Structure formats: structure tokens, C-alpha cells
Amino acid sequence: MSSKQSLHKSADLRLQVVSLSRNNSFSGTVDQPPNRRDEFKKPARIIAVTHFLPFAVSVSEETPDEPYQWNVSRRKGHTAMYAGIRSLVENQDIDCTQLGWIGYYQDLNGNEHTCESLSDESRFNIVKALEPYHAVPVFVDKDDAHGHYEGYSKQILWPLLHYMSWSDSHPVQPKWWSSYQRVNKIFASALTSICNDDDIIWVHDYHLLLLPELIRSALPLATIGFFLHSPFPSSELFRSLPQRKEILYGMLGSTSIGFQTYSYARHFLSSCTRVLGLESSPTGIDNKGNMVAIGVFPIGIDSKSVQKRRSLPSVEIKMKSLREMFSNKLIIIGRDRLDEVAGIKQKLEAFERFLEMYPKYQNNVVLIQVTQPGQTRQPRLESKISELVTSINSNYGSLEFMPVLYHHTFLDSDEYMALLNIADLCLITVIRDGMNTGSLEYVVCQQDKHSPLILSEFTGTAGSVSGAIQINPWDYEAVAQAIDTAFSMTPEEKTVRYEQMYKHVMSHDAQYWANSFVEDLRATALAGQSNTETPCLDSALIIKDFAQARRRLIMLDYDGTLTPITNIPAEALPPPEMLVALEKLCADQRNFVCVISGRDRQFLELHLGGIKGLALSGEHGSFIRYPGGEWINLLDQMDMGWKDEVMSIFQFFTERTAGSTIEAKETSITWHFRNADPEYGEFQAKECMNHLEDSVVSKLPVEILVGKKCLEVRPISVNKGEIVKRLMGTHPEQWDFVACAGDDKTDEDMFRALRTMQRSIGKTRANSDDPSLQEPPHYFTITVGPADKKSAAAWHVTSSQKIVETLTDLAAVE
């Protein structure tokens, strides 16, 4: 049964969404990740998740009373997004399901009502009515719907994403955030109830920013794409949001995140670095070992549909009427939402300046400005616009002619197409916008006239429509000059500019946008599947092998392995349960335990030196202390003259990087920038590393070690792998159980050393005359981090607490 056919079968699950009582349907485990490469090659279903479904329902006249039957119609708004998704649904080679909130229904009198008052059978009939459209409805109660959409989404997120302060709108209600969280959870429950392991999930826009992480929690192996249709503000503004971390982590549950422009993507990367302290590159973010891809995908329109609409006979009639009304006049068209970010006030100011600077256009140019309701009522803005319109018409108009025709209403589709067809200029002055698709519709409608387009540089389309005249809407005089330039263009220049725009708009339409994003998401997910995941440590197996072994060697890193990483290194103290486990293990004569750390020997002696029988190694293998012995400097004969030069470089960068510190050890020097500004700290670290490589590393026998928020310079012959070889001894085959655990790049030296030795030891033991040595040794190399972390280790655990728990289990073995 196909997923499209199964919608009816799973319809009863849609009615359970509000209760959130359904068990998680995911049955796979991270411990044994399946090989999904072959599965991924199959045509996977795409589930497109939007806040509103692109459909609305109304009661059928055949059922005036419940249970109702339903009529389905297309919802207005978000035309570009819905067109892109519809292109996937209508593609015969793609299985695409749409999931979203059904919103309010209309009764026979045209009044709107919430669906929560409907009977189960009426709601079930909604599910059935939407099946032919491959759509699954989500039901949300009235209070949560209002708090989520009218509250947090429109009063908090939308203003913030468009560089406005939410305090300028309405007082913040704490319940809005609670509603926003609940609605995202409702969507997650609805989605996981129909989702298969190999489905591709595509989440849209700021209403569902928490959804990717919620899906990831339920379906760890899911392929999740997220696309933000609005701008993303600079980190300086975004970090003022109280729920900034929750929002960012919610988005980072995705496999891939798409933005309209590179600047929006760059702002998001900066926020992740500054707010969360994550490492990033221009193409992705390292979210605790999981690489989240970042891409730019400018949205397009359904250009073929616009072409058909502009040529309708009803549009021709409207065009004829408008030409008669504005005969011998140059027409400037503008259509915007009544929001501050739409730049209507700036447009009117610039138009007034244009009439003042170029008197020849007075009585010859008309600006037809159409507005429709914005995100919220803004009385002050409405009043200011009304004042400007009155001022312009009073100063430059007459009883026979008004230079500004201002219509605050939803415009009929035929009238809109007619205006776009006959316009001599389209003027867009938005001060912040996601992708202003009106400019693209204008280009499609100008196939006959080739009229120019003036476009604000702050629109998402500015970087794509190269033939437009770009302006700064705050510079009224420059906008006025641009209008004169547009009207003064020769037909040849108009044609050249228009052909550039038309070619781009037609080739980069909504279908191209949707296909590009989905194919990129497929490629990203497939690349991720090709990476071999490290299985989760098998606790039962390591305990069994440990119990059977006679000679056991255990080697452990300290920071990030035995204790969690902390911003202040001095606060990373050993937990009591870890000390107890180490004491018990060291008390067993069959065990040899060593902590191999980057810490200096004073720290190790202070916190671990009291454990009888414990060996210690400090400064990444520079020093070692065997049980009951003294510290041995393994670099005693090495020239340390390089330290002064490195110290001066580190001091230079410390003075210029607030929050950074220098840790001078006996055999190495470390520069820490964990407490510095995350983005600036990373930048300075790269600059410092380049300087060290040019002036020190190229001349002296030292190397740079890039750690977690630190740079360490040490002798090239020092690393933890050399300590592992020393501890294994001249007869490494003596150990029939070896466990080694670490969390960062310095510990990979240990894992690689053990991997190399394991191969040779296996052959040695197999050829031994001693029957007790003929069994292969049991090696457990364990990295702390996610399963897809690149490591030479054979096993992984998710946290340092898991390491401590494992040591406790081993210590309990008799």
C-alpha cells in the first residue's frame, strides 16, 4: 500500500493529535545503525510541513447539521511556497504528502469557527475530504492556536526576524511561548504518526522552529530539511530573544537548513557561534558532532500560472478600463502589506521628493499604491501614510487628477494582473523582506512593455534579479533619481534589462526552488549515510570480557571523559563516584589503570594523586608517574627555547581577545579562548595559528594542537599515543583486555596507536606456544560524543557520565 493510499487508514490517528498520547513509532536504535544507502536510492516520500495547509474547508450545503461533509478550496497567501510544494505533489515521479493546521472552517453563512467544537465524525470527514489532495490536517485548540500564531509567531518572532523590537507591538504574554511549544509538539506527534524511516521531512518557516529537534528526538535517523522564508536578523538583535537557545537548537535538529540569501545564512551561523558557542563554516554547523548543512535557495514563483492569469479575457477587460482611466499618464505600481518593514512611508516620501525635483512629471505620473492588512494593526503607521497621501495630493494634485491613488484593501486577482501588465514602473521600497515575490510577478507580466523595476536592496530578490535598478529606500533623493532614470531609459536598455530578469524568473521558478532544495537535502542525507557510524558501547560485552580477562590495562583521558568540559578548567573536579570506581579498580592486582591527561602534573597530583595504584601522565605525555614512583620528565633532554617566542605570540593575542587566557606548562603552552566572544575567539584563534605556523612551527620541532576552544604548542615528539606504547610495554601481548577512553583530537593518537598495535598483537598471540595467549585480546577504544563523530575509536558513549557508569560497573566485577 502506498503512503498516499494509506492516509485514510491512518485518519483516526489525526484525531488523537491534540491529546499527544501516541507512543513513538520509531523502532530503530542508534546502537546498530542500519545501512540505509540502498533504501535512500528508492523514491522516498516527501512530507512537506507548513503551519497552514494550502487548503481551507467549508460546510457542504448537503449537510446543514453534523456530521458535516466538506468542500475544499485553496487557501490564499504564501503563493510561492504553496506553488513549490504543489509542484512536488503533482509530479508523478514523487510521492509527496502535505501536513499542516487546517485552521478555521466556514459554516453555510460564511462565518468562521474552530474545529475543536466539531464531532469526531465531522473531523474524520475533513481527513477524508483532504485525502485526494494528499493532505493531512492537524487540529489545534483555539487557545493554543491563538497563542502560537497571533501571539508568539506574529508578536515576537515576526517583528524580531524583520529587525523590529517586539516591545513596539504588544505586551509580551508568557503563555504565548507555552502555546508555541505545545503547537510544535502537536505537529511533531502528527508527523511521527505517519512518518516512515526513509521519508524526507521538509519543515517550513518560523511558525515551526522547534519542530526539527522534536522530530529528531523521536526519529534519530530522519532526513529533515528546514526552510526559513523570512529574513534572519544579525546576532546582535537575535540574541536579545529570551528563548534564543531553544529556537536555535530547534532549528539545528535539521539535516539541512535553507535560507533566501547568503546574508541571512551568515547571520544564523553567527548566532549559533555567539549564542551556543558552536563551531561553524560557511556551509555548516557542528552541533555537538552532528554537521548541519546550511544552504541558500532563493524562492521563485509559479511563473507558468502567472503567465496564464495575465492573459485571461477578464484581465484584458480590466486593462482596457485602466488605460482609459489613466490615458497619457505614466503609471507606477506598488503593492505591499501595511507593515513598517514594507517601506510604504519611505516610498511616499521618495515619490514626493521625485515630484519636487522633476517638475516635468507633475500631472503626468500617477502612483497606484495598494496595501493589504499586515501582521498587526498599526494605527500610527496608517495615520502617517494617510497624512503623506493627503500632502502629496494637495501639493501636486487638482480636482481633475490625484498623483497618488491609495487603496487599502485586498485587490481582485484580475485587477492586480491588469495593473502589472500596464504599469510603466514597479517601485518596491521594503526595508526588510524575505523574498518579495511581487517583483517576480511583475517581471512575468511585462512581456509586452518591458517596463523597468526599481527594487530595494533589502529584499531577498535583490541578489537574484540583476536587471533591476537597486536602491536604498532611506535615500529619498537617490530613489527619486532612480525613478527619473527608469522613465528616461531607451527602449533598447529596457529590453536588455528585462531579458536578464525574465530569463532568471522563468528558469528559477517555484518548481526549480522546491526541486533544488529537496535534491540538495537528499545529497546531504546520502553523504551522511555513507559515513560509518561508531556503535554505542556494548555494556554487557565489555563487562563480560573484563570479567574473563587476567591482565587488564585501562587508560583514561580526564577533561571531557572522566569529567564534563567546563568554561573554567579549574572547576572540572573529579566526581566522587568516579574516584570510588578508580580506587576499586586500582585495588585489583589484575588491573593497571592510568589517567593520561593534558593537565599539568600539579593538578593531577592534587586531585588524583591520593589513589593508591593509579598511574598518571600529564601534559599530553610529557610526564609520567608510575604507581608509588616519582614523576618522570620524558622531555628532560629537549631544548625548550621555543617557549619564549610562543609565549610572546600568545600574549599578543591575549591582550587583544577579551576572555582569553594563557596556561604555561612545563613542556607546552596553551592559549584558551573558551570564555571569549565565540565568533571573535574563533577568528583570533585562526589568526594566531597562522602566525605560529609562519614564525615558529616552520622552524622548530614543535606542533600546534587544536583542542576544544584552545591552541596548544608542544614538542612534536609528544603525544598520548607514545604514552600508550610505553604502557603497553615491550610485550604488549601480555594484556588480554585493554580499554582506552577519550573525547577530543589528542585522544585520537591513543586510538590510532592501539589500532596499529592490535593488528600485530593478534598475530603474535595466535602463533604463541602458550595456550592462554592464543585467544585474541579484547580491545575497547571508546570516544565520548555522538555516533557520527569521526573517530578512530571502535565504540562511543554520549557523555562523560556514561564513562563513569561503565567504570563503576567494571569495578563491581569480582
Side-chain angles (χ1 to χ4, degrees):
M1 180 185 295
S2 73
S3 57
K4 292 182 178 180
Q5 295 171 331
S6 66
L7 289 180
H8 177 78
K9 180 180 178 181
S10 61
D12 57 323
L13 290 173
R14 308 291 77 68
L15 306 180
Q16 301 173 19
V17 165
V18 177
S19 67
L20 296 176
S21 60
R22 195 195 61 78
N23 291 327
N24 178 14
S25 62
F26 180 71
S27 58
T29 63
V30 179
D31 294 6
Q32 296 178 331
N35 182 358
R36 297 173 59 213
R37 287 181 63 86
D38 294 333
E39 294 179 25
F40 204 83
K41 293 176 184 176
K42 303 173 184 177
R45 177 175 61 158
I46 299 168
I47 303 178
V49 188
T50 55
H51 174 230
F52 280 109
L53 276 177
F55 307 103
V57 295
S58 57
V59 176
S60 171
E61 294 181 356
E62 299 175 0
T63 54
D65 300 310
E66 287 209 65
Y68 297 129
Q69 297 297 323
W70 303 95
N71 298 320
V72 179
S73 59
R74 292 206 175 274
R75 187 184 300 276
K76 293 182 179 179
H78 302 291
T79 53
M81 177 180 71
Y82 290 151
I85 296 172
R86 187 168 63 251
S87 70
L88 299 176
V89 175
E90 294 174 352
N91 189 328
Q92 296 299 315
D93 298 326
I94 297 176
D95 185 1
C96 183
T97 297
Q98 304 167 87
L99 183 142
W101 182 38
I102 191 58
Y104 299 94
Y105 75 89
Q106 281 192 348
D107 62 19
L108 293 176
N109 298 318
N111 299 317
E112 292 189 337
H113 305 275
T114 62
C115 293
E116 63 181 318
S117 60
L118 293 173
S119 65
D120 284 353
E121 190 170 354
S122 289
R123 289 201 284 172
F124 183 80
N125 289 341
I126 292 178
V127 176
K128 291 195 296 182
L130 290 169
E131 277 187 25
Y133 302 92
H134 315 300
V136 176
V138 175
F139 298 102
V140 182
D141 66 58
K142 182 179 179 180
D143 290 340
D144 277 341
H146 182 273
H148 167 266
Y149 183 59
E150 301 292 341
Y152 196 80
S153 294
K154 292 178 68 172
Q155 304 297 337
I156 304 295
L157 287 178
W158 191 90
L160 177 70
L161 295 173
H162 289 81
Y163 284 77
M164 298 167 62
S165 172
W166 59 82
S167 61
D168 294 340
S169 49
H170 294 284
V172 177
Q173 301 292 329
K175 63 181 180 181
W176 290 348
W177 170 242
S178 298
S179 294
Y180 188 84
Q181 291 175 297
R182 279 194 295 271
V183 170
N184 274 260
K185 289 177 181 177
I186 289 171
F187 269 76
S189 179
L191 183 63
T192 54
S193 68
I194 67 167
C195 190
N196 300 316
D197 289 349
D198 59 344
D199 287 341
I200 294 175
I201 302 165
W202 190 9
V203 182
H204 291 264
D205 224 5
Y206 60 90
H207 314 89
L208 302 171
L209 295 175
L210 304 179
L211 187 55
E213 184 182 33
L214 293 170
I215 300 170
R216 182 69 63 200
S217 298
L219 308 173
L221 300 181
T223 299
I224 307 168
F226 179 85
F227 189 84
L228 185 66
H229 293 262
S230 71
F232 196 93
S234 68
S235 60
E236 289 302 318
L237 183 60
F238 183 81
R239 64 198 297 192
S240 65
L241 181 67
Q243 299 83 20
R244 57 192 185 176
K245 289 187 177 181
E246 293 88 338
I247 294 296
L248 291 176
Y249 277 128
M251 296 175 69
L252 290 173
S254 308
T255 306
S256 177
I257 303 175
F259 295 90
Q260 301 275 17
T261 70
Y262 174 72
S263 63
Y264 302 160
R266 180 167 48 85
H267 291 159
F268 176 74
L269 290 168
S270 177
S271 292
C272 290
T273 302
R274 288 178 175 269
V275 175
L276 304 180
L278 301 178
E279 296 182 5
S280 66
S281 70
T283 58
I285 298 170
D286 184 354
N287 181 23
K288 300 176 182 178
N290 294 314
M291 284 304 299
V292 181
I294 303 297
V296 177
F297 305 88
I299 199 170
I301 60 172
D302 188 351
S303 51
K304 293 179 181 178
S305 173
V306 175
Q307 277 188 320
K308 291 179 181 178
R309 287 162 52 203
R310 69 175 291 270
S311 304
L312 293 174
S314 55
V315 174
E316 293 287 347
I317 296 172
K318 295 285 186 182
M319 289 171 60
K320 182 179 179 182
S321 174
L322 289 169
R323 286 194 186 102
E324 292 174 354
M325 186 182 304
F326 302 108
S327 60
N328 301 319
K329 305 292 183 186
L330 294 168
I331 299 174
I332 302 176
I333 177 68
R335 186 197 189 199
D336 307 277
R337 286 185 177 273
L338 189 58
D339 288 313
E340 287 282 357
V341 297
I344 301 172
K345 183 170 71 71
Q346 287 76 11
K347 184 185 300 185
L348 293 171
E349 296 270 17
F351 183 65
E352 185 173 30
R353 184 77 175 120
F354 164 73
L355 294 176
E356 178 187 338
M357 292 173 60
Y358 303 97
K360 64 180 179 179
Y361 291 109
Q362 295 175 14
N363 297 315
N364 294 314
V365 177
V366 59
L367 169 62
I368 303 176
Q369 176 61 46
V370 181
T371 64
Q372 57 194 61
Q375 293 289 324
T376 58
R377 277 292 308 275
Q378 300 190 42
R380 284 187 298 176
L381 177 62
E382 293 176 20
S383 176
K384 182 60 178 177
I385 290 174
S386 179
E387 289 176 10
L388 285 169
V389 171
T390 302
S391 173
I392 296 170
N393 287 337
S394 298
N395 293 329
Y396 300 99
S398 63
L399 292 175
E400 296 83 18
F401 173 71
M402 295 293 178
V404 178
L405 290 181
Y406 180 71
H407 296 271
H408 181 47
T409 181
F410 284 101
L411 198 63
D412 175 78
S413 176
D414 289 348
E415 288 181 326
Y416 178 52
M417 288 291 108
L419 281 172
L420 294 181
N421 279 336
I422 68 168
D424 297 288
L425 176 65
C426 180
L427 179 58
I428 297 173
T429 56
V430 297
I431 58 178
R432 189 63 59 182
D433 200 2
M435 207 54 183
N436 200 278
T437 54
S439 60
L440 307 181
E441 294 171 334
Y442 171 77
V443 170
V444 175
C445 290
Q446 282 292 319
Q447 295 175 54
D448 300 324
K449 295 190 66 174
H450 298 177
S451 296
L453 168 66
I454 296 179
L455 188 61
S456 167
E457 64 186 62
F458 300 113
T459 62
T461 46
S464 305
V465 188
S466 58
I469 302 173
Q470 293 194 18
I471 49 94
N472 175 1
W474 298 99
D475 189 345
Y476 302 149
E477 188 166 320
V479 176
Q481 293 171 351
I483 296 174
D484 176 59
T485 299
F487 284 147
S488 304
M489 274 187 194
T490 64
E492 292 77 15
E493 184 179 355
K494 287 182 180 179
T495 300
V496 170
R497 285 177 172 270
Y498 177 77
E499 287 178 350
Q500 289 178 346
M501 295 188 291
Y502 181 76
K503 181 179 180 180
H504 173 82
V505 172
M506 297 303 293
S507 61
H508 293 73
D509 58 5
Q511 180 178 353
Y512 175 86
W513 164 75
N515 287 337
S516 297
F517 185 90
V518 171
E519 287 307 310
D520 186 83
L521 178 58
R522 286 178 185 270
T524 300
L526 187 57
Q529 296 302 328
S530 65
N531 294 330
T532 303
E533 293 187 336
T534 306
C536 185
L537 178 64
D538 188 331
S539 298
L541 179 62
I542 191 172
I543 292 172
K544 179 177 73 71
D545 290 347
F546 179 83
Q548 295 175 351
R550 296 177 296 107
R551 291 279 291 158
R552 309 154 177 162
L553 175 61
I554 301 174
M555 295 170 284
L556 306 163
D557 173 47
Y558 183 77
D559 289 288
T561 304
L562 293 177
T563 62
I565 294 290
T566 61
N567 286 336
I568 301 176
E571 294 180 353
L573 303 178
E577 60 271 25
M578 181 265 282
L579 295 175
V580 171
L582 288 180
E583 287 173 354
K584 289 183 178 179
L585 288 169
C586 292
D588 190 332
Q589 296 298 317
R590 294 171 292 179
N591 304 331
F592 187 93
V593 184
C594 183
V595 173
I596 307 173
S597 173
R599 296 279 190 160
D600 59 36
R601 52 181 176 173
Q602 288 79 13
F603 180 93
L604 296 175
E605 191 70 52
L606 175 64
H607 296 290
L608 300 175
I611 301 177
K612 186 178 179 180
L614 179 66
L616 298 172
S617 176
E619 300 191 24
H620 299 294
S622 299
F623 295 90
I624 189 168
R625 193 208 71 175
Y626 293 100
E630 299 295 326
W631 283 96
I632 302 172
N633 185 349
L634 301 178
L635 301 175
D636 193 32
Q637 303 301 318
M638 182 170 286
D639 180 12
M640 294 292 174
W642 54 268
K643 293 179 67 176
D644 292 338
E645 189 172 355
V646 172
M647 177 63 78
S648 65
I649 294 173
F650 279 166
Q651 286 175 341
F652 176 87
F653 282 91
T654 301
E655 292 168 358
R656 290 158 178 78
T657 312
S660 65
T661 58
I662 300 173
E663 181 184 5
K665 305 173 186 177
E666 292 184 62
T667 58
S668 63
I669 306 177
T670 305
W671 184 64
H672 296 275
F673 57 93
R674 183 175 300 279
N675 294 321
D677 176 271
E679 191 171 66
Y680 187 63
E682 291 289 349
F683 171 79
Q684 288 289 76
K686 292 175 183 176
E687 292 294 307
C688 182
M689 189 161 60
N690 290 337
H691 194 60
L692 287 169
E693 287 175 347
D694 292 338
S695 59
V696 179
V697 177
S698 60
K699 307 172 186 175
L700 299 169
V702 296
E703 63 180 348
I704 304 172
L705 186 68
V706 181
K708 292 182 177 179
K709 302 294 182 181
C710 68
L711 295 179
E712 180 169 321
V713 180
R714 66 183 186 185
I716 203 165
S717 60
V718 173
N719 64 67
K720 292 183 178 181
E722 294 301 317
I723 290 294
V724 167
K725 295 176 183 177
R726 177 180 286 263
L727 294 175
M728 292 287 283
T730 55
H731 296 284
E733 67 276 5
Q734 64 179 306
W735 307 104
D736 47 9
F737 176 93
V738 177
C740 181
D743 72 306
D744 65 11
K745 295 176 182 177
T746 65
D747 303 312
E748 294 298 318
D749 292 330
M750 297 195 293
F751 302 148
R752 283 189 288 268
L754 283 173
R755 176 184 287 181
T756 301
M757 297 176 74
Q758 184 179 10
R759 287 193 286 266
S760 60
I761 292 169
K763 297 177 182 178
T764 303
R765 289 175 66 104
N767 297 326
S768 174
D769 295 331
D770 186 348
S772 65
L773 293 179
Q774 290 178 358
E775 290 295 321
H778 301 294
Y779 278 55
F780 289 84
T781 48
I782 309 161
T783 186
V784 180
D788 58 357
K789 174 183 177 182
K790 294 181 179 179
S791 174
W795 304 90
H796 90 279
V797 294
T798 56
S799 67
S800 59
Q801 181 60 35
K802 295 291 184 183
I803 292 291
V804 175
E805 291 173 1
T806 300
L807 293 176
T808 302
D809 291 339
L810 297 182
V813 173
E814 295 295 336

